Amino acid sequence: MLLLRRKLLLAATLAPVAAHARVQYPAVVRRPLVFPRDHGAHPEYRTEWWYLTGLLDTTPQPLGFQITFFRSRTNIDPDNPSKFAARQLIIAHAAIADPARGSLLKDERVAREGFGLAQAAEYDTDVQLDRWRFARQPDGTYTCEIPGRSFTLRFTARPTQPILLQGEAGFSQKGPRPEQASYYYSQPQLAVEASLTRDGSAHTLRGVAWLDHEWSSTILDENAAGWDWVGMNLDDGSALTAFDIRQKASASGAGGKAIYAYASLRPAGSSRVQVYGPQDVRFEPIQRWTSPRTRAAWPVAQRIVVGGRSFETAPLMPDQELDSRASTGAVYWEGASSLLEGGRRVGRGYLEMTGYVEPIAL
């Protein structure tokens, strides 16, 4: 969901001779989103991502997959004439969740924009990092190619529903102050056809996916530790989004209270989106898993109360921790999950959590 940016040290490392300046990042204000332009990159803003998660149907259990391309505008002086100045960073993550393996197959990349190696087009979605690429075609279908170290994933993702504008027509509040906001839309219920190669064997698979595209300059409250988020494709064709922004723990260990929360539910076949504010959304941990690597206690199953309905998430497997400190500077849990209501599966998608190792810095 929200961008997990590398600390500014990365920019200094990539361009040690470049001068820094007080870069002015534009504020997020209420405006109509315009397509296809807003499918593309917005390089003047500080952070942006194209975030696709989904499940591929296999026997006896499905596989989860995550593909994310991040764009980050650094504080490098925009007037610096050096071609090596890292004004924009392109970062990409890819992961396969296989319950038979028990942990993620994952890969990541990071590079400064330019030199034909990394780019994010402004006219429409077309993000490239070396040989990794995610692009939107003229008919609206997304294509992706990820030749990773331990797997290769290629797929098409075809929209089956209209774009879902989050918040107020794409203006998505992330905190109590007006500037704590992003532009945010989703494309749920994407029909996926994929080719996955690993361990020398290729498989053709089908599934369903969810795409988030979001960009901003200021998102988190200074007292925020991180967030919990779900994007769930319901089996009846509905789409559920929910997130909360959690408060940092105090010196006494107290914390976790939501600074802000939001949910949206679009019923199948409807153009109307029911939006829920902070008073109507609540996340409650119901199962924790402690990482043997980071010692973080992740609430990998959660109860999510949205209005008068109560959902529960059930992870495809507990270990879906992604340590991306080599690229974004953050550790997060990105988990393929089932969605339950009344003990019965009603959907599936992804639960994302940040700020359980240390407060996330944006």
Side-chain angles (χ1 to χ4, degrees), residues 202-225:
H203 301 273
T204 299
L205 304 168
R206 294 187 177 186
V208 62
W210 179 293
L211 172 69
D212 274 352
H213 181 195
E214 193 164 2
W215 62 100
S216 180
S217 293
T218 303
I219 293 181
L220 293 184
D221 187 274
E222 59 271 17
N223 293 316

Side-chain angles (χ1 to χ4, degrees), residues 9 25 27 48 56 64 85 112 209 224-225 245 253 262 271 280 332 336 340 354:
L9 175 61
Y25 302 103
E48 185 165 19
L56 299 171
R112 77 193 82 191
I245 309 296
Y262 163 90
S271 60
D280 295 317
Y332 62 109
L340 310 178
T354 69

Side-chain angles (χ1 to χ4, degrees), residues 11 48 51 64 68 116 126 142 191 201 244 253 260 287 306 335 360:
E48 185 165 19
Y51 212 108
T68 313
D126 191 353
Y142 292 91
S201 180
D244 70 353
Y260 195 81
Q287 176 189 339
V306 177
I360 193 163

Side-chain angles (χ1 to χ4, degrees), residues 169-190:
F171 177 88
S172 175
Q173 200 76 33
K174 296 298 192 300
R177 299 201 302 270
E179 69 270 18
Q180 295 167 344
S182 67
Y183 297 111
Y184 178 19
Y185 70 86
S186 304
Q187 295 209 254
Q189 301 289 354
L190 293 166

Side-chain angles (χ1 to χ4, degrees), residues 228-282:
D228 309 290
W229 167 93
V230 292
M232 290 286 175
N233 291 309
L234 273 64
D235 296 338
D236 67 0
S238 302
L240 172 68
T241 312
F243 65 78
D244 70 353
I245 309 296
R246 300 186 325 279
Q247 185 176 338
K248 292 177 182 176
S250 66
S252 65
K257 182 180 178 181
I259 296 173
Y260 195 81
Y262 163 90
S264 71
L265 179 63
R266 183 170 70 184
S270 175
S271 60
R272 298 187 61 182
V273 181
Q274 178 66 52
V275 173
Y276 298 86
Q279 69 280 2
D280 295 317
V281 181
R282 188 170 70 254

